[in-house]
């Protein structure tokens, strides 16, 4: 049975904030979506623009991005003990809320990345045909999933903060993962996004940047 009681710490309880999150965040982020069909590269640029806008809203209100998502009145987080898939989202017509359902057994780092992923799916609802145009429904669905992954890892591991961490000497994959509170594979994907290479002779260690 699902429950809304968190099984993991998605947010920092010591993080100070002044009050409730600003209203209309979902509408603001959706307003960035073009009405006409766009190319895949533009869809990824939109995903990054939405992460930047969400982080800006967080900074102005004193919330981290994940706190913002979990505290939005239109979002409800549930944790399921018998859920087969790791994460899902749907609209609850009775409570008029988006429900993000997470598998309780997964780690708290996975919960954070899955939460951000599903929030992007909420933002894309009703816009998939213009964001991910494809003659194949399966191809369009795959692109939507890839874009949600891209959104999630850029939200939790922003460009500027990743580069700052690298400059300060955080070079181990595991150390970076702990620093950003995400799974190791998310850091590896972000390093790939930033054209950073890892050496097979130094498993889990950052050895050089690509030229």
């Amino acid at each position: 049975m699902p429950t809304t009681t968190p099984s993991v710490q998605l947010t920092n309880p010591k993080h100070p904030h002044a009050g409730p999150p600003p209203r209309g965040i979902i509408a603001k982020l959706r307003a960035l979506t073009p009405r006409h069909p766009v190319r895949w590269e533009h869809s990824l640029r939109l995903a990054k623009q939405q992460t930047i806008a969400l982080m800006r809203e967080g900074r102005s209100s004193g919330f981290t991005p994940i706190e913002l998502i979990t505290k939005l009145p239109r979002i409800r987080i549930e944790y399921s003990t018998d859920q087969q898939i790791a994460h899902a989202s749907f609209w609850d017509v009775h409570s008029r809320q988006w429900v993000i359902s997470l598998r309780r057994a997964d780690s708290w780092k996975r919960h954070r990345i899955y939460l951000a992923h599903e929030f992007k799916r909420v933002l894309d609802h009703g816009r998939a045909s213009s964001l991910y145009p494809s003659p194949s429904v399966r191809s369009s669905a795959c692109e939507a999933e890839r874009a949600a992954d891209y959104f999630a890892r850029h939200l939790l591991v922003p460009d500027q903060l990743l580069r700052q961490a690298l400059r300060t000497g955080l070079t181990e994959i595991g150390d970076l993962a702990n620093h950003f509170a995400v799974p190791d594979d998310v850091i590896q994907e972000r390093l790939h996004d930033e054209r950073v290479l890892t050496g097979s002779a130094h498993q889990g260690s950052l050895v050089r940047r690509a030229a």
Side-chain angles (χ1 to χ4, degrees):
M1 292 292 292
T3 174
T4 55
T5 303
S7 61
V8 296
Q9 181 180 317
L10 287 172
T11 62
N12 182 359
K14 296 182 180 180
H15 186 78
H17 47 76
R23 300 178 63 86
I25 290 178
I26 293 178
K28 288 179 183 178
L29 298 179
R30 280 183 166 172
L32 298 174
T33 306
R35 296 291 181 179
H36 56 84
V38 297
R39 297 174 63 89
W40 169 245
E41 293 79 8
H42 189 99
S43 295
L44 292 185
R45 285 198 297 271
L46 168 66
K48 186 177 284 191
Q49 288 172 358
Q50 288 173 324
T51 67
I52 293 170
L54 184 58
M55 287 186 285
R56 188 181 299 122
E57 291 282 353
R59 283 193 296 269
S60 66
S61 59
F63 288 91
T64 66
I66 289 295
E67 283 176 329
L68 267 183
I69 296 172
T70 60
K71 292 180 181 296
L72 291 176
R74 290 287 187 181
I75 299 290
R76 185 171 83 246
I77 315 301
E78 292 186 348
Y79 301 85
S80 176
T81 57
D82 55 1
Q83 183 169 302
Q84 297 301 309
I85 58 175
H87 51 94
S89 58
F90 59 92
W91 175 251
D92 186 332
V93 296
H94 300 293
S95 66
R96 298 189 61 79
Q97 288 178 306
W98 284 102
V99 177
I100 296 178
S101 181
L102 305 175
R103 186 170 54 194
R104 181 182 288 273
D106 290 320
S107 71
W108 70 280
K109 289 181 179 180
R110 288 286 172 200
H111 281 179
R112 282 166 47 81
I113 200 75
Y114 294 157
L115 175 64
H117 174 107
E118 289 300 333
F119 185 67
K120 172 59 172 169
R121 298 307 306 271
V122 169
L123 297 179
D124 286 353
H125 181 73
R127 315 289 176 87
S129 60
S130 60
L131 286 174
Y132 318 109
S134 173
S136 166
V137 174
R138 178 175 296 181
S139 295
S140 180
C142 287
E143 287 190 353
E145 286 293 306
R146 289 172 58 201
D149 286 341
Y150 186 86
F151 173 93
R153 62 180 184 260
H154 279 80
L155 181 67
L156 297 182
V157 189
D159 291 347
Q160 183 176 357
L161 296 184
L162 175 58
R163 291 166 187 160
Q164 180 181 326
L166 292 170
R167 286 195 300 269
T168 60
L170 280 177
T171 58
E172 297 293 327
I173 297 295
D175 290 343
L176 286 166
N178 289 332
H179 180 72
F180 289 102
V182 296
D184 288 8
D185 60 285
V186 173
I187 292 296
Q188 292 171 333
E189 290 166 350
R190 283 297 286 116
L191 294 178
H192 177 74
D193 292 336
E194 292 297 303
R195 301 298 191 270
V196 176
L197 300 182
T198 57
S200 58
H202 301 276
Q203 187 67 28
S205 177
L206 175 67
V207 296
R208 69 181 178 90
R209 282 198 177 196

